[in-house]
């Protein structure tokens, strides 16, 4: 596991917890529950209104109908009328005609305004001048809130027409401009309020949509990070367990063969098996300790650096002890970053492990390392085995096609991190055996 990332995780978690505990108390904490309560109630009311809009529309419409009837029955309309002798039946009809259509103001505001227009004209022509005519502004507000803004032009003209009729028939000198100007100002203010609320709603919806998309993106990134981490851990466990078990298997087979002829060689094989097993258990324990949560009371994981090219000698000695002769050749100076060294080490380890598993008896292996400038490196691992190769892929024109195995696909994933190439396949005729060729190009400056 990456030492820096692990240590950073451990040092960051306590700080986050402490920062939470040290958060200032007082007015902000007292106000927070009230704010959440108001937001929760508002969301519930809006959700109920979206599911059942009719109850709210009935309540609002009933309120305005009641106000219009109180104005008529209480005689309040007499303070503004030009015709105090208007029949009661006409008063009731005009009051209902100017208030009942508001029931559909949210779904069909333009139709509501058109339905109210004849009653507004009769109200202005007869001089009744009911104040219920102002309810047209409610319809104007919903036109500005829900319809394209170009509808405000004919809406304004429709609302101003009854005012012009009333001023022409019943107005005094100088009242024309005053009545038209007053009504026009009211329409403009109501329209601006509707536009402001509409803009706020659109902004809120955009923020909510963005929050939803960010949440989805966060979940997707978490899933991708989890999958990548699982794949990385699987590669590490495969490299650790697979290689050491292959070495142990080779040592056990050699010890069994030597047991009857050379007890000393058998004892050496058993010692090597014990050493390799303990090494594998130690590496596996470190890997599992890093994955364990420290807050559960466990001791912190013991951190060790990842293997580098300086550990190749120990790796090769273990393979040789398992019965596979290995010859190494190096050209140039090994001056690579730690990540590239780990990639080269793991590829060589996997290639030797596959040779131990599948190459057959009397096999030899050869490793050639060529170091270039700017962190470039080429590694070639060949063997003379007579088996079926690695058993995890098929060779086509010297190229490797990954199948169901984890070994070579893992090698290709490591290689791809540095823009390198990996070739694996049978050696060209008449040679026999298998060849793995790794090339990591020069590191491009960022």
């Amino acid at each position: 596991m990456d030492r820096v990332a692990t240590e950073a995780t451990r040092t960051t978690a306590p700080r986050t917890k402490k920062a939470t505990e040290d958060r200032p108390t007082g007015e902000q904490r007292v106000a927070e529950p009230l704010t959440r309560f108001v937001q929760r109630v508002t969301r519930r009311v809006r959700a109920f209104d979206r599911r059942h809009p009719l109850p709210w529309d009935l309540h609002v419409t009933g309120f305005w109908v009641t106000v219009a009837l109180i104005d008529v029955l209480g005689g309040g309309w007499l303070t503004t009328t030009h015709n105090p002798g208007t029949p009661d039946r006409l008063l009731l009809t005009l009051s209902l005609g100017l208030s009942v259509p508001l029931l559909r103001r949210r779904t069909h505001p333009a139709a509501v305004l058109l339905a109210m227009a004849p009653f507004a004209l009769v109200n202005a022509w007869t001089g009744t001048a009911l104040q219920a005519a102002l309810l047209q502004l409610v319809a104007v507000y919903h036109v500005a809130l829900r319809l394209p803004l170009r509808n405000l032009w004919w809406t304004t003209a429709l609302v101003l027409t009854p005012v012009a009729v009333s001023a022409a028939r019943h107005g005094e000198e100088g009242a024309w401009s005053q009545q038209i100007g007053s009504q026009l100002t009211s329409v403009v203010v109501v329209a601006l309020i509707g536009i402001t609320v509409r803009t706020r709603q659109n902004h809120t919806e955009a923020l909510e949509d963005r929050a939803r998309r960010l949440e989805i993106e966060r979940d997707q990134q978490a899933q991708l990070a989890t999958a990548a981490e699982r794949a990385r851990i699987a590669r590490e466990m495969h490299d650790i367990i697979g290689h050491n078990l292959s070495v142990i298997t080779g040592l056990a087979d050699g010890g069994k063969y030597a047991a009857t002829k050379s007890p000393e060689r058998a004892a050496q094989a058993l010692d090597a098996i014990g050493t390799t097993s303990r090494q594998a258990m130690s590496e596996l324990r470190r890997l599992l300790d890093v994955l364990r949560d420290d807050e559960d009371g466990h001791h912190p994981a013991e951190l060790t650096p990842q293997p580098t090219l300086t550990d190749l000698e120990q790796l090769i000695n273990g393979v040789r002890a398992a019965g596979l002769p290995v010859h190494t050749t190096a050209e140039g100076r090994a001056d690579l970053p730690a990540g590239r060294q780990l990639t080269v080490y793991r590829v060589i380890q996997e290639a030797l492990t596959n040779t131990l598993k599948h190459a057959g008896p009397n096999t030899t292996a050869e490793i050639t390392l060529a170091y270039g400038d700017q962190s470039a490196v080429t590694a070639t691992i060949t063997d003379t085995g007579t088996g079926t190769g690695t058993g995890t892929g098929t060779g086509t024109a010297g190229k490797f096609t990954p199948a169901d195995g984890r070994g070579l696909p893992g090698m290709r994933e490591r290689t791809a991190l540095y823009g390198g190439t990996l070739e694996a396949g049978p050696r060209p005729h008449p040679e026999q055996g298998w060849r793995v060729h790794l090339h990591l190009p020069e590191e491009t400056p960022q």
Side-chain angles (χ1 to χ4, degrees):
M1 304 293 289
D2 188 276
R3 181 171 184 174
V4 176
T6 305
E7 292 178 347
T9 301
R10 290 182 182 156
T11 55
T12 303
R15 291 179 185 174
T16 304
K17 184 176 180 180
K18 185 176 186 302
T20 303
E21 295 174 351
D22 295 342
R23 188 172 53 190
T25 59
E27 181 179 352
Q28 182 177 359
R29 278 194 172 182
V30 174
E32 190 176 35
L34 178 60
T35 302
R36 291 181 178 177
F37 173 76
V38 173
Q39 292 176 348
R40 185 165 58 252
V41 171
T42 303
R43 286 196 298 267
R44 289 181 179 178
V45 171
R46 289 177 177 175
F48 179 82
D49 182 50
R50 284 194 296 268
R51 293 193 303 268
H52 310 285
L54 185 59
W56 177 253
D57 290 339
L58 287 174
H59 278 80
V60 173
T61 304
F63 171 78
W64 290 120
V65 171
T66 302
V67 170
L69 294 179
I70 289 176
D71 181 55
V72 171
L73 298 178
W77 66 282
L78 293 174
T79 60
T80 58
T81 186
H82 301 289
N83 184 12
T86 304
D88 294 341
R89 183 175 298 178
L90 181 59
L91 290 174
L92 180 62
T93 301
L94 292 177
S95 297
L96 294 177
L98 291 170
S99 58
V100 171
L102 292 177
L103 181 64
R104 306 301 300 274
R105 71 195 182 283
R106 292 199 290 181
T107 56
H108 301 84
V112 168
L113 198 60
L114 291 173
M116 298 170 70
F119 297 96
L121 285 173
V122 173
N123 181 55
W125 183 267
T126 59
T128 305
L130 290 176
Q131 298 181 72
L134 295 175
L135 294 178
Q136 288 179 291
L137 297 177
V138 176
V140 172
Y141 167 80
H142 284 278
V143 169
L145 182 64
R146 305 177 189 281
L147 298 183
L149 296 182
R150 61 177 179 271
N151 290 280
L152 290 175
W153 295 107
W154 66 264
T155 297
T156 303
L158 189 64
V159 173
L160 291 180
T161 298
V163 178
V165 171
S166 177
R169 282 181 57 82
H170 309 286
E172 301 176 356
E173 282 188 36
W176 177 279
S177 59
Q178 181 180 356
Q179 293 182 21
I180 294 293
S182 176
Q183 185 72 355
L184 179 60
T185 301
S186 300
V187 171
V188 171
V189 170
V190 169
L192 289 177
I193 294 175
I195 294 173
T196 302
V197 174
R198 178 179 188 166
T199 303
R200 179 63 180 175
Q201 289 180 350
N202 292 340
H203 179 66
T204 303
E205 292 175 358
L207 290 178
E208 292 176 351
D209 180 68
R210 182 183 178 186
R212 284 192 297 268
R213 287 188 285 107
L214 289 176
E215 184 176 357
I216 293 174
E217 183 179 353
R218 181 200 63 190
D219 294 340
Q220 291 176 343
Q221 290 178 348
Q223 293 174 359
L224 291 174
T226 301
E229 185 66 9
R230 291 178 61 183
R232 189 176 69 85
I233 294 173
R235 286 198 305 266
E236 294 294 330
M237 295 187 68
H238 174 273
D239 292 339
I240 293 172
I241 298 175
H243 172 74
N244 287 287
L245 287 180
S246 297
V247 173
I248 291 172
T249 301
L251 290 170
D253 291 340
K256 179 181 177 181
Y257 177 78
T260 57
K261 297 183 179 181
S262 178
E264 294 181 359
R265 294 290 299 276
Q268 293 176 359
L270 291 176
D271 289 340
I273 289 175
T275 302
T276 305
S277 300
R278 285 189 292 272
Q279 180 182 356
M281 288 296 297
S282 177
E283 293 182 5
L284 184 60
R285 188 178 296 112
R286 291 192 190 101
L287 181 62
L288 296 179
D289 283 345
V290 171
L291 299 178
R292 187 178 299 166
D293 189 359
D294 295 337
E295 295 182 358
D296 293 340
H298 299 291
H299 296 292
E302 181 182 355
L303 302 178
T304 57
Q306 291 279 25
T308 61
L309 294 180
T310 58
D311 300 309
L312 268 181
E313 188 65 26
Q314 181 181 357
L315 172 69
I316 294 172
N317 288 337
V319 173
R320 287 170 178 163
L324 175 64
V326 180
H327 176 71
T328 60
T329 303
E331 301 175 1
R333 190 177 67 175
D335 186 16
L336 301 176
R340 289 177 171 244
Q341 292 191 44
L342 176 62
T343 298
V344 175
Y345 180 92
R346 292 302 190 195
V347 169
I348 294 175
Q349 181 185 50
E350 179 64 24
L352 294 178
T353 300
N354 288 335
T355 300
L356 282 172
K357 287 181 180 180
H358 307 290
N362 302 322
T363 299
T364 61
E366 182 176 355
I367 301 173
T368 302
L369 289 171
Y371 303 101
D373 298 332
Q374 308 254 338
S375 303
V377 61
T378 300
T380 304
I381 306 95
T382 58
D383 63 58
T384 59
T386 58
T388 58
T390 62
T392 57
T394 58
T396 304
K399 298 293 183 179
F400 174 75
T401 304
D404 295 332
R406 288 186 178 273
L408 287 174
M411 293 161 61
R412 293 177 67 87
E413 291 174 4
R414 292 181 184 276
T415 305
L417 291 176
Y418 298 96
T421 57
L422 179 72
E423 301 176 1
R427 299 173 67 184
H429 187 75
E431 298 176 338
Q432 65 180 13
W434 198 261
R435 175 179 177 270
V436 175
H437 181 76
L438 166 70
H439 176 68
L440 300 182
E442 296 181 358
E443 188 174 12
T444 56
Q446 298 295 330

